[in-house]
Amino acid sequence: DAKTTQPTSMDCAEGRAANLPCNHSTISGNEYVYWYRQIHSQGPQYIIHGLKNNETNEMASLIITEDRKSSTLILPHATLRDTAVYYCIVRSNNAGNMLTFGGGTRLMVKP
Amino acid sequence: DGGITQSPKYLFRKEGQNVTLSCEQNLNHDAMYWYRQDPGQGLRLIYYSQIVNDFQKGDIAEGYSVSREKKESFPLTVTSAQKNPTAFYLCASRQDHSGANVLTFGAGSRLTVL
């Protein structure tokens, strides 16, 4: 399984873009990049996922490098409610594959 | 609204007692999961079930038991054999046929052993 490396913590000013990096240099061809977040004392929430193309939805954008060895989650206009732990997970879509949630990045959005 | 309901939200237990955490979903999802989270840590998989009447152990199944008699329900029992049960427990579900690893989580149950 491809492992991921994320910074332990990051700060972002309210209203600015938050760019959260993730390294996954051992990713294989059929593995997707998933992003979830967990607000304090709540269950994790799915944000976005992608294989090789950049993806965008109402919550965020996902930029995957051409070699797929790293990706960046972008929250275009961070708000205080975006303060959370963000998990980057790499996994194939086989039914038996479980998602593994590591330490993640603790994003603090400051006024 | 469709979703996952976990109960109770908070639970206190004396050492040596078994306790059952409830997880109910009305999303018609096939697969269900139980994770454990300790303070400042990520999530660890306890048990999962991909279909009714079938379940598999995850990474930390010792001291826990589950059942999957109905598609909607996946209760977790924390037994007295679990040496350090104080933790935040999270239930999730996934619609397998979609192919994507998109999990929907409940709000969690926080268990404290006194």
Side-chain angles (χ1 to χ4, degrees):
Chain A
D1 300 333
K3 297 201 184 304
T4 62
T5 304
Q6 299 179 252
T8 304
S9 64
M10 292 181 62
D11 290 344
C12 177
E14 187 178 20
R16 305 297 290 267
N19 298 294
L20 293 94
C22 181
N23 285 326
H24 32 78
S25 58
T26 59
I27 192 170
S28 58
N30 67 341
E31 289 184 315
Y32 287 72
V33 180
Y34 286 84
W35 283 86
Y36 283 75
R37 74 179 182 183
Q38 186 177 22
I39 294 170
H40 182 63
S41 293
Q42 297 182 23
Q45 175 191 26
Y46 165 78
I47 301 173
I48 198 167
H49 74 283
L51 183 63
K52 58 176 88 171
N53 297 324
N54 298 337
E55 303 286 344
T56 295
N57 63 19
E58 65 278 4
M59 290 182 69
S61 294
L62 173 61
I63 308 298
I64 302 174
T65 58
E66 194 167 338
D67 63 7
R68 303 210 322 125
K69 293 185 177 183
S70 66
S71 60
T72 301
L73 179 75
I74 301 172
L75 308 179
H77 305 286
T79 71
L80 298 180
R81 287 178 294 180
D82 291 322
T83 293
V85 176
Y86 287 77
Y87 297 100
C88 171
I89 304 164
V90 173
R91 209 66 171 177
S92 74
N93 280 349
N94 295 339
N97 263 334
M98 304 301 119
L99 290 181
T100 302
F101 292 77
T105 296
R106 187 172 299 276
L107 175 69
M108 179 74 72
V109 180
K110 298 183 174 180
Chain B
D1 284 338
I4 296 183
T5 301
Q6 289 188 241
S7 62
K9 189 169 178 64
Y10 299 95
L11 185 62
F12 297 88
R13 178 195 109 172
K14 292 182 181 179
E15 278 193 41
Q17 289 181 333
N18 293 354
V19 62
T20 297
L21 308 180
S22 170
C23 178
E24 302 280 332
Q25 55 102 356
N26 59 5
L27 299 165
N28 199 32
H29 284 178
D30 299 309
M32 296 186 74
Y33 307 81
W34 275 104
Y35 287 89
R36 168 183 170 138
Q37 188 174 35
D38 292 290
Q41 306 295 313
L43 281 65
R44 291 184 290 168
L45 183 65
I46 304 172
Y47 268 99
Y48 65 98
S49 167
Q50 297 193 65
I51 196 168
V52 174
N53 292 323
D54 187 44
F55 48 83
Q56 286 80 39
K57 293 181 179 180
D59 301 320
I60 55 165
E62 185 175 349
Y64 300 96
S65 66
V66 293
S67 63
R68 186 85 188 277
E69 297 176 2
K70 299 186 298 182
K71 188 175 185 178
E72 305 79 23
S73 179
F74 191 40
L76 174 75
T77 296
V78 185
T79 75
S80 57
Q82 169 50 235
K83 298 303 179 190
N84 186 20
T86 293
F88 188 46
Y89 291 88
L90 288 155
C91 179
S93 70
R94 174 184 123 166
Q95 191 169 25
D96 258 357
H97 70 251
S98 73
N101 262 309
V102 177
L103 300 183
T104 301
F105 281 85
S109 292
R110 190 169 298 279
L111 172 63
T112 302
V113 174
L114 303 173

